[in-house]
Amino acid sequence: MKKKQLIVVKLGGSAITAKDEDKPEVNSSNLDRLAKEMTEAWNESGFSMVVVHGAGPFGHVPARKYDLDKGLKGSWQIEGISETHQSMEGLNYRVVDSLRRAGLPAVAFQPSAGGVLRNGRLVSFPIYVLKELLKLGIVPVAYGDVLFDREKGVSILSGDHLVPYLAKKLNADRVILVADVPGIFDRDPKKNKDAKIIKELGRKNVGLVKEIGSAKGVDVTGGMKGKLGELLRLAGMGIESEIVCGFEDGTLKRALLGERGLGTIIKKDS
Ligand SMILES: Nc1ncnc2c1ncn2[C@@H]1O[C@H](COP(=O)(O)OP(=O)(O)OP(=O)(O)O)[C@@H](O)[C@H]1O
Ligand SMILES: [Mg+2]
């Protein structure tokens, strides 16, 4: 039997929460529409899929409040680990619920239950379990989380780090990240109305990006800059990825069905 294609999809916090307002609110209508597009593409094409979702204010705000991105400094942060994780679990429940209502066999996958970081980078993750779930036809849904860190005590696992890690370990065929912008621009498109999109990015032309930063809301994992760094590293390992807009009707579905070039492709220099 031919091996099914594996697609790793990140639903960015910017596309599924009220990130700009820093309120822990789900953008339900957009999440449900994205879930519907994922289900339609999944039914039409029959690929395997791992979903990772970002945090928006659900994770970034409590993580900043307790300085969790700086490692374990004192016992006052312990409550913050619990609060941040529970908040992310709440968002994860909403994402899984939306995917299930749309018709996907989605199952929550808690990164902090089995993942270990060292200085904020994954050094182990229960890949074997994920592979078995995928074989069953399950759609695992992981997320940015607070993890045990061998050097720092605890630190944040960003969805943008988890996505390339899984793509590499699972040998993914496609990597698609959904955000509130249609890709990477030469300047932050939310602040510069004449910002120009860059359709293909690699290490050689990364200098075209003159301004890249965090979102308007709090982002403890480096915003678009952190994302680009992670994706360039993944491209260096031979796996290209694409950032597409989560607010355009039909774009995610088309990308899942195989169209390339709908946003910004991050690839290895030829
Ligand atoms: N040069 C740039 N090109 C595109 N977007 C940029 C640029 N510089 C800054 N940004 C900002 O990056 C934001 C998207 O990154 P952000 O980290 O907020 O999204 P996300 O990863 O989907 O969210 P989360 O981290 O919560 O999952 C956009 O809203 C945009 O304003
Ligand atoms: Mg982000």
Side-chain angles (χ1 to χ4, degrees):
M1 206 167 75
K2 208 172 137 243
K3 188 186 157 278
K4 278 187 182 177
Q5 270 219 336
L6 173 68
I7 309 186
V8 178
V9 181
K10 186 196 173 199
L11 296 176
S14 62
I16 60 167
T17 71
K19 184 156 183 174
D20 280 356
E21 279 131 57
D22 268 358
K23 284 190 293 199
E25 259 173 35
V26 177
N27 184 337
S28 309
S29 56
N30 209 46
L31 172 60
D32 288 350
R33 184 184 51 76
L34 292 168
K36 186 167 168 276
E37 291 189 19
M38 289 158 86
T39 309
E40 285 171 4
W42 198 75
N43 287 335
E44 277 174 43
S45 185
F47 45 78
S48 297
M49 177 162 61
V50 176
V51 178
V52 173
H53 65 79
F58 287 82
H60 294 297
V61 171
R64 171 61 50 82
K65 181 173 144 203
Y66 290 96
D67 275 348
L68 295 178
D69 50 320
K70 302 196 173 65
L72 197 61
K73 306 277 181 209
S75 55
W76 56 276
Q77 290 170 302
I78 303 300
E79 167 59 19
I81 297 171
S82 170
E83 186 178 317
T84 307
H85 175 74
Q86 196 199 8
S87 177
M88 283 308 296
E89 284 250 298
L91 177 58
N92 180 251
Y93 180 87
R94 297 286 298 273
V95 174
V96 171
D97 188 53
S98 176
L99 294 170
R100 282 184 35 73
R101 276 187 287 106
L104 285 176
V107 173
F109 198 88
Q110 181 188 334
S112 52
V116 177
L117 299 171
R118 182 187 290 134
N119 279 324
R121 315 289 304 166
L122 278 167
V123 288
S124 73
F125 200 80
I127 291 294
Y128 167 75
V129 183
L130 273 181
K131 281 186 178 165
E132 293 301 322
L133 292 176
L134 288 168
K135 274 190 217 160
L136 293 174
I138 294 288
V139 176
V141 186
Y143 47 97
D145 197 358
V146 192
L147 266 66
F148 166 66
D149 188 299
R150 278 190 196 158
E151 284 294 321
K152 296 164 77 181
V154 290
S155 47
I156 304 291
L157 166 67
S158 87
D160 292 335
H161 175 47
L162 182 56
V163 163
Y165 180 89
L166 295 180
K168 178 77 185 132
K169 294 279 182 191
L170 296 169
N171 198 14
D173 299 285
R174 304 276 315 279
V175 180
I176 299 168
L177 296 95
V178 179
D180 62 343
V181 286
I184 296 184
F185 288 68
D186 58 351
R187 291 181 168 74
D188 185 344
K190 292 228 183 123
K191 295 186 194 148
N192 304 275
K193 64 174 180 356
D194 50 359
K196 285 183 193 61
I197 191 158
I198 303 164
K199 296 299 286 179
E200 291 195 2
L201 260 178
R203 292 216 183 262
K204 274 192 196 148
N205 68 344
V206 76
L208 291 174
V209 184
K210 302 292 178 214
E211 177 204 80
I212 184 160
S214 282
K216 207 172 115 206
V218 184
D219 194 314
V220 292
T221 55
M224 194 55 102
K225 188 174 181 194
K227 199 188 303 293
L228 177 58
E230 293 286 355
L231 298 178
L232 283 171
R233 196 172 295 133
L234 180 67
M237 296 187 282
I239 300 180
E240 79 167 40
S241 56
E242 183 155 0
I243 301 172
V244 299
C245 187
F247 286 99
E248 292 167 7
D249 243 1
T251 294
L252 177 57
K253 180 176 176 184
R254 284 165 59 194
L256 287 168
L257 287 175
E259 245 181 271
R260 289 170 75 250
L262 295 167
T264 295
I265 295 175
I266 293 94
K267 63 177 204 178
K268 199 172 178 175
D269 298 314
S270 43

